[in-house]
Amino acid sequence: MLNKFFSPASVEDEIYKIWEQSEYFAAHPEYVSKTPFTIMIPPPNVTGTLHMGHALTMTLQDIVVRWRRLQGYDVLWQPGTDHAGISTQLVVDRKLSQQGIDRKKIGRDAFLEHVWQWKKESGGEITKQLRRLGASLDWKRERFTLDDGLSEAVKKVFVTLYREGLIYQDRRLVNWDPHFRSAVSDLEVENKEINGHLWYIRYPIEGSNQHFITVATTRPETMLGDVAVAVHPSDERYKQWIGRYVRLPLTERVIPIIADEYSDPSKGTGAVKITPAHDFNDFEVGRRHNLELITILDAEANIDLHEIKEGDKTVFLSSLQGMSREKARNAIIEKLEQLALLEKVETYRHQVPHAERSGAIIEPRLTTQWYCDAATLSKPAIKAVQDGRIQFVPKQWENTYFAWMKELKPWCISRQLWWGHQIPAWYGPDDTVFVCYDEKEAEEQALKHYGSTQVLRRDDDVLDTWFSSALWPFTTLGWPENTPELQRYYPSNVLITGFDIIFFWVARMMMMGMHFKKDVPFHTVYLHGLVRDEKGQKMSKTKGNGIDPLEIINEYGADAMRFTVCALTGPGRDIKLGKKRIEEYRSFITKIWNAARFCEMNTVFLKEDFSLEGIAFPLNRWILNELSNVILKIDQSLEAYRFDEYASLCYHFTWDKFCDWYLEFAKIAFKSDDVHLVSETRSVSAYILKNLLIVLHPIIPFVTEELWSAFSFGDKGTLMIAQWPDFKKCGGLDNQQSVQEINYIITLISQLRGLRSEIGVPSAKFIPLLIKDIQSEFFVIIQRWSETIKRMVKIASIEVVQDFSSKNSIQTSIHGATFIFPLENIVNFDKEKNRLSKELFKLSQELERIQNKLSNENFMKKAKAEIIQETRERVVKLQSEENRLKLALNRFQ
């Protein structure tokens, strides 16, 4: 017997172990008769723990792979984790610091030993958590971006691209993280709006004691690296000074006044200081005017004056050496005030770039780095989308993709870290570089180049983590070897991921796949939105509005969380998630469980010789038709990646059609004296339940698997390898007469129930029903279902009348017939009219208040988008309730 309540905690772990130990998740390259279906997991960071973004992505992927397995495909869902260079180094570095160990003192090799040990002990946490979610990945094929096979593949790609001229070294400005002392990607920089200041500094005109050019800056400390002041060529205020010089305050240096359109006369003073080694825009100005590049900050963002000539240094300037940029800023401002060169200070709110991982303020820094020619690699990837070989879902993401791909800059792929793929480059004594597969090959090249044996130095840098993860679709399958897996599972069918990594990862996989495999890495890219809180705000620790998926699983079960995120995933929109929504969908799980218990109590089981041939009872023919229709629509929804539609179809068929109508109607059939009717209804109930569990399984795998074995549809754990039903073979396509009959009864019961509710009939009160002007065919149906109608609408008697007149009655029309509730001594009409009038007045006032708010320009300008949307949704709900109350009141008139 099933327990009274479904307890996820008592079954989830056991069921998952059965699945995994039975190797039901495994792909089988040898099954050549089966069509392959492949999805690549976006490899989570090895440092990671499950968050709601993971939960959404993995749930959607798991739905698709479970569906395809049930359809008979040979499915590969490729698992693995990313070494996450910066994140992992940060985690282990902190761990060692707590133990009093300094990474710099123990050296690279010893530090990497600690990292590998940490990875062995703690690095698999995220994969354990994915199991809690129910993710059915082929775990025996799990890969790691730093495992031996992938590392060799990364070297091959680097060396190949270098020899093709698509990887090279260059000295350019990069986003520099002073905490890690490493370059970081543009995509790993988070702009934060902060309160700051705008300092107006006077730069004295050379040769004049009276004239100054004032520049406004948020970073006075970088003035030490200024090499020019730029003004707009058409700015009349400064035309006379173009070509002259200013004395750079605090130094012994003079710098030119140049004309450049980068200067905006409408901003600040119209004059801008140019510091090419510490600002990306200034770097471009410097290139146009062939200006000197002077770096004044070291790798940790402390003042470093070694590039400033001794003759240009003052005593004060020398005193700044080694100061942090923040302390130097304060000292410089104080000195400028003393020299009367600080004109004014304004408070200023502006965007400041921060390193996503460390949180440090980014410093634009001039360094020599390794670059990849992304613009050249992007061309085949752009064409693949243009000609339809890769399709984006939703399609509008194609425009975003094209816009970004056509503006690509060189991709900085080197990082000044220890953890990662060390760049396969060696340097000779004169810094000649040898890019090779290993040190032996580098030594051979060096011998040929120098004519003698030389001591070579390995490049210390590692590759950007996204470089290796860009190779994920083919290196995980054994490339560069032409393995059976590579031949069978590349390209994959679909990539499912968040839109926020379309440029981090998606576009780069497309570039690398097209270049090295000469084929797209996947045919479809499905991009889902972000998970936000129930008010539409981004989840964050500082706001305290985050939701931990593991806590949700512990409290509500994995199925409830999976169903919720699936139901809320609409095309092109973010998800507003709160516990209330999860509780609502947990009720759906409970509904399924209770329906199964009802079936069990009524001895519902599926006979071995059950056949759909000869099903006679209209109710059973109707539900078979509904099953056929819902399976067809579910297939269409999943083919189109409309996860919200899939969830909605499952929900409404289960709750509305199966539970609220079919099983309610079946209660009388189960008590019938007609043995054949009882037997048929039991068998059809079991058949519907069996197929319902199958179509629900991809979204709620645990509860469906538990019920599957409870009803002896198969051994525990075997539902996931059952056969997906064919809508054409569910026996429901030729049952239109039965469908019309049952739909008529459903409409009748629904309207009569609604009428009772509207007019305030006590819920426990049985009342008479009179029918006038009914066609004989409909009356025959009513007679056949009279006991069901009486029980479900709480009707004492049903009588056909030729005429009826009473002011104390309420009526409604259905298919031309009039249905009347005589309510003498049952409902106080005056009291009900008064109640409805008060409710309508109160609601109308509320509706008017909210509509006035939406017509208020001030509100519409200042309110957040999610608040405006919620207000509009509230109006729609109130208008619907208003119409209902008006209709109910009119019935009393």
Side-chain angles (χ1 to χ4, degrees):
M1 287 290 291
L2 291 171
N3 293 327
K4 188 174 182 179
F5 301 104
F6 173 59
S7 173
S10 66
V11 302
E12 288 178 350
D13 187 54
E14 176 196 1
I15 289 173
Y16 196 92
K17 283 178 180 175
I18 292 172
W19 288 334
E20 189 169 2
Q21 289 168 4
S22 301
E23 299 188 3
Y24 291 154
F25 303 156
H28 294 279
E30 69 278 10
Y31 288 1
V32 293
S33 61
K34 284 191 172 187
T35 304
F37 185 87
T38 315
I39 288 185
M40 291 283 166
I41 187 178
N45 288 354
V46 71
T47 58
T49 55
L50 194 68
H51 57 64
M52 285 310 307
H54 290 135
L56 172 60
T57 300
M58 298 308 168
T59 294
L60 300 184
Q61 291 190 32
D62 196 44
I63 287 169
V64 172
V65 300
R66 286 180 183 272
W67 171 54
R68 290 303 192 190
R69 279 198 202 98
L70 289 164
Q71 287 186 317
Y73 286 83
D74 169 30
V75 173
L76 169 62
W77 188 12
Q78 176 63 53
T81 50
D82 191 281
H83 65 277
I86 291 179
S87 296
T88 306
Q89 185 154 321
L90 178 63
V91 167
V92 178
D93 205 1
R94 284 175 178 169
K95 184 172 179 286
L96 292 178
S97 294
Q98 291 168 0
Q99 299 171 8
I101 300 173
D102 186 339
R103 169 174 62 87
K104 298 169 190 174
K105 289 182 179 178
I106 64 173
R108 182 176 197 143
D109 291 343
F111 176 74
L112 291 180
E113 285 182 16
H114 282 286
V115 181
W116 280 109
Q117 185 61 32
W118 174 88
K119 194 261 179 187
K120 181 180 178 181
E121 294 171 359
S122 307
E125 191 62 29
I126 185 71
T127 60
K128 294 176 187 174
Q129 293 169 350
L130 290 176
R131 287 171 167 87
R132 291 286 315 279
L133 184 66
S136 57
L137 291 135
D138 189 350
W139 292 112
K140 288 196 173 181
R141 295 180 181 273
E142 185 175 350
R143 302 302 300 269
F144 178 54
T145 49
L146 271 178
D147 68 26
D148 291 341
L150 269 65
S151 294
E152 289 302 310
V154 168
K155 279 196 287 188
K156 181 175 178 62
V157 167
F158 186 95
V159 173
T160 301
L161 291 175
Y162 175 79
R163 292 175 181 175
E164 292 173 347
L166 295 173
I167 282 180
Y168 56 92
Q169 283 183 305
D170 195 8
R171 184 170 171 79
R172 303 169 60 96
L173 276 190
V174 295
N175 293 306
W176 187 264
D177 181 339
H179 176 82
F180 283 110
R181 297 186 298 171
S182 174
V184 295
S185 163
D186 291 346
L187 301 171
E188 293 168 307
V189 174
E190 182 181 5
N191 284 308
K192 296 181 181 178
E193 194 170 280
I194 65 170
N195 293 319
H197 294 89
L198 200 57
W199 287 275
Y200 289 77
I201 304 172
R202 296 187 180 114
Y203 284 44
I205 300 288
E206 174 69 2
S208 171
N209 294 324
Q210 298 178 343
H211 295 96
F212 302 85
I213 285 186
T214 301
V215 300
T217 180
T218 59
R219 302 194 62 205
E221 69 278 10
T222 63
M223 68 184 293
L224 306 180
D226 286 359
V227 294
V229 169
V231 297
H232 196 278
S234 62
D235 193 333
E236 294 294 335
R237 294 172 295 176
Y238 301 115
K239 271 191 173 181
Q240 61 177 315
W241 303 117
I242 295 173
R244 297 278 297 272
Y245 290 82
V246 292
R247 294 194 303 277
L248 182 61
L250 313 181
T251 77
E252 299 294 339
R253 196 147 43 97
V254 293
I255 57 177
I257 303 167
I258 62 173
D260 193 281
E261 291 185 352
Y262 166 62
S263 303
D264 186 345
S266 67
K267 291 183 179 179
T269 64
V272 291
K273 58 193 281 303
I274 302 299
T275 322
H278 290 282
D279 183 276
F280 288 98
N281 292 316
D282 292 6
F283 181 78
E284 297 302 325
V285 174
R287 277 187 164 182
R288 288 195 290 272
H289 295 271
N290 197 29
L291 298 174
E292 186 180 5
L293 301 171
I294 299 176
T295 299
I296 54 93
L297 293 170
D298 64 14
E300 295 179 333
N302 297 323
I303 299 296
D304 183 359
L305 304 175
H306 77 278
E307 290 189 13
I308 295 178
K309 297 174 185 176
E310 287 302 320
D312 292 334
K313 292 180 184 177
T314 62
V315 173
F316 170 76
L317 197 64
S318 298
S319 72
L320 301 177
Q321 179 68 32
M323 273 191 190
S324 70
R325 53 188 168 177
E326 292 79 13
K327 286 184 178 179
R329 177 183 301 174
N330 293 332
I332 286 170
I333 293 302
E334 185 179 343
K335 188 67 174 177
L336 289 171
E337 284 184 301
Q338 293 173 6
L339 297 173
L341 293 176
L342 186 64
E343 187 171 295
K344 63 178 180 178
V345 183
E346 294 177 347
T347 56
Y348 188 63
R349 190 162 179 81
H350 61 134
Q351 298 279 346
V352 175
H354 288 70
E356 186 181 50
R357 299 297 179 189
S358 70
I361 294 176
I362 288 293
E363 184 63 51
R365 189 162 189 261
L366 190 65
T367 60
T368 298
Q369 303 282 349
W370 289 94
Y371 289 87
C372 182
D373 185 354
T376 298
L377 288 172
S378 71
K379 292 174 183 176
I382 292 172
K383 190 173 186 302
V385 178
Q386 290 173 332
D387 62 24
R389 282 175 290 158
I390 297 177
Q391 296 185 342
F392 280 86
V393 180
K395 191 173 177 61
Q396 63 260 31
W397 281 110
E398 289 183 6
N399 295 329
T400 307
Y401 169 80
F402 289 137
W404 187 77
M405 291 288 273
K406 290 175 181 178
E407 296 292 331
L408 282 180
K409 296 177 181 177
W411 172 17
C412 178
I413 58 173
S414 48
R415 299 289 181 266
Q416 289 64 57
L417 303 170
W418 286 351
W419 174 246
H421 294 100
Q422 193 170 354
I423 289 173
W426 287 261
Y427 299 92
D430 58 356
D431 285 339
T432 298
V433 65
F434 304 96
V435 173
C436 302
Y437 290 102
D438 53 37
E439 189 170 12
K440 182 180 179 183
E441 184 187 5
E443 288 171 347
E444 291 171 356
Q445 287 192 11
L447 179 61
K448 187 176 180 180
H449 175 79
Y450 292 110
S452 60
T453 301
Q454 301 291 333
V455 175
L456 302 181
R457 171 177 55 87
R458 177 82 183 264
D459 195 312
D460 286 328
D461 290 354
V462 299
L463 286 165
D464 176 13
T465 299
W466 296 104
F467 187 89
S468 53
S469 61
L471 316 177
W472 188 255
F474 53 93
T475 55
T476 52
L477 299 176
W479 187 91
E481 299 298 323
N482 191 24
T483 63
E485 287 80 1
L486 188 62
Q487 294 176 47
R488 183 166 174 79
Y489 300 117
Y490 186 95
S492 63
N493 295 75
V494 60
L495 178 73
I496 297 177
T497 190
F499 71 81
D500 52 329
I501 58 172
I502 184 173
F503 310 127
F504 276 105
W505 189 49
V506 179
R508 288 166 176 173
M509 283 191 290
M510 292 161 70
M511 293 181 207
M512 294 300 190
M514 295 297 294
H515 192 79
F516 286 96
K517 285 294 296 167
K518 310 304 178 188
D519 196 1
V520 297
F522 27 72
H523 296 296
T524 302
V525 179
Y526 173 82
L527 296 170
H528 60 70
L530 302 178
V531 183
R532 300 182 179 275
D533 71 10
E534 52 198 334
K535 294 181 180 178
Q537 297 177 332
K538 187 176 180 181
M539 291 184 181
S540 71
K541 291 181 180 178
T542 53
K543 290 180 181 177
N545 63 343
I547 295 178
D548 183 344
L550 293 174
E551 289 182 6
I552 296 299
I553 291 172
N554 291 336
E555 187 173 356
Y556 301 101
D559 288 334
M561 189 180 70
R562 287 168 62 107
F563 197 94
T564 304
V565 296
C566 180
L568 299 179
T569 302
R573 71 170 186 244
D574 288 344
I575 291 172
K576 294 180 183 178
L577 184 66
K579 284 193 174 183
K580 185 179 178 182
R581 301 306 299 267
I582 298 166
E583 287 170 358
E584 289 172 1
Y585 287 116
R586 181 181 59 178
S587 298
F588 175 65
I589 310 296
T590 302
K591 187 77 171 178
I592 297 166
W593 188 261
N594 290 340
R597 290 185 70 241
F598 172 80
C599 289
E600 185 183 54
M601 287 186 288
N602 285 277
T603 329
V604 165
F605 65 95
L606 195 62
K607 296 178 181 178
E608 289 186 12
D609 60 350
F610 172 74
S611 171
L612 291 171
E613 297 295 327
I615 299 298
F617 188 41
L619 175 64
N620 294 327
R621 292 172 67 83
W622 169 78
I623 194 64
L624 290 170
N625 181 81
E626 294 296 329
L627 178 66
S628 295
N629 287 334
V630 80
I631 291 170
L632 170 62
K633 291 175 182 177
I634 284 172
D635 282 337
Q636 292 170 339
S637 297
L638 288 175
E639 288 283 0
Y641 303 102
R642 286 301 306 268
F643 296 99
D644 56 336
E645 284 184 359
Y646 165 53
S648 179
L649 287 163
C650 289
Y651 184 95
H652 289 293
F653 176 81
T654 304
W655 198 301
D656 302 343
K657 300 297 173 67
F658 184 59
C659 296
D660 283 2
W661 294 116
Y662 178 77
L663 292 182
E664 282 298 320
F665 286 2
K667 285 179 180 178
I668 291 178
F670 287 144
K671 296 174 182 177
S672 172
D673 294 332
D674 185 337
V675 176
H676 176 72
L677 172 59
V678 174
S679 176
E680 179 186 290
T681 305
R682 283 174 175 164
S683 294
V684 171
S685 298
Y687 179 80
I688 298 297
L689 180 60
K690 177 182 179 181
N691 284 282
L692 179 58
L693 294 177
I694 296 173
V695 298
L696 285 170
H697 179 74
I699 189 171
I700 46 174
F702 291 108
V703 68
T704 51
E705 194 73 83
E706 183 71 3
L707 292 174
W708 182 261
S709 57
F711 279 83
S712 300
F713 296 137
D715 293 335
K716 181 168 282 194
T718 61
L719 169 54
M720 71 167 294
I721 57 169
Q723 184 176 354
W724 187 263
D726 183 344
F727 79 95
K728 297 176 184 176
K729 299 177 181 179
C730 291
L733 300 181
D734 58 349
N735 296 331
Q736 291 312 302
Q737 185 174 344
S738 298
V739 168
Q740 290 170 7
E741 176 173 328
I742 301 302
N743 284 343
Y744 174 75
I745 294 300
I746 289 173
T747 300
L748 177 64
I749 291 173
S750 298
Q751 290 201 26
L752 293 179
R753 278 174 163 177
L755 189 58
R756 280 187 59 125
S757 175
E758 282 178 10
I759 59 182
V761 177
S763 59
K765 184 73 175 178
F766 280 76
I767 58 176
L769 173 66
L770 306 180
I771 309 173
K772 187 163 69 86
D773 302 328
I774 190 168
Q775 297 177 28
S776 59
E777 61 181 291
F778 291 121
F779 186 63
V780 169
I781 295 173
I782 288 174
Q783 284 182 309
R784 190 153 51 229
W785 292 94
S786 61
E787 291 306 310
T788 299
I789 295 169
K790 287 178 181 178
R791 183 176 59 81
M792 295 185 71
V793 189
K794 292 188 178 175
I795 290 175
S797 61
I798 300 175
E799 181 184 350
V800 175
V801 297
Q802 297 302 315
D803 194 22
F804 179 80
S805 177
S806 172
K807 68 175 184 178
N808 289 331
S809 66
I810 294 293
Q811 62 186 42
T812 188
S813 178
I814 303 172
H815 284 286
T818 303
F819 293 82
I820 306 162
F821 284 143
L823 299 171
E824 192 76 40
N825 301 320
I826 297 174
V827 173
N828 184 320
F829 274 47
D830 292 335
K831 183 178 178 181
E832 283 301 312
K833 280 194 286 186
N834 187 47
R835 178 183 66 83
L836 289 169
S837 297
K838 286 182 178 179
E839 282 188 31
L840 182 60
F841 178 74
K842 185 178 179 181
L843 186 143
S844 298
Q845 282 189 317
E846 174 69 3
L847 182 58
E848 183 180 5
R849 184 185 67 80
I850 295 177
Q851 287 175 326
N852 287 339
K853 184 185 285 189
L854 287 173
S855 62
N856 186 313
E857 289 185 13
N858 195 37
F859 170 77
M860 296 299 286
K861 284 180 181 177
K862 292 183 177 180
K864 293 181 179 179
E866 57 266 23
I867 299 297
I868 293 173
Q869 182 60 29
E870 285 176 8
T871 307
R872 285 173 174 159
E873 290 171 0
R874 176 70 176 152
V875 166
V876 172
K877 288 180 181 178
L878 288 174
Q879 287 174 334
S880 175
E881 180 64 10
E882 183 183 46
N883 290 335
R884 186 192 70 78
L885 290 173
K886 285 179 178 178
L887 180 62
L889 192 58
N890 286 338
R891 294 188 192 280
F892 285 102
Q893 303 305 323

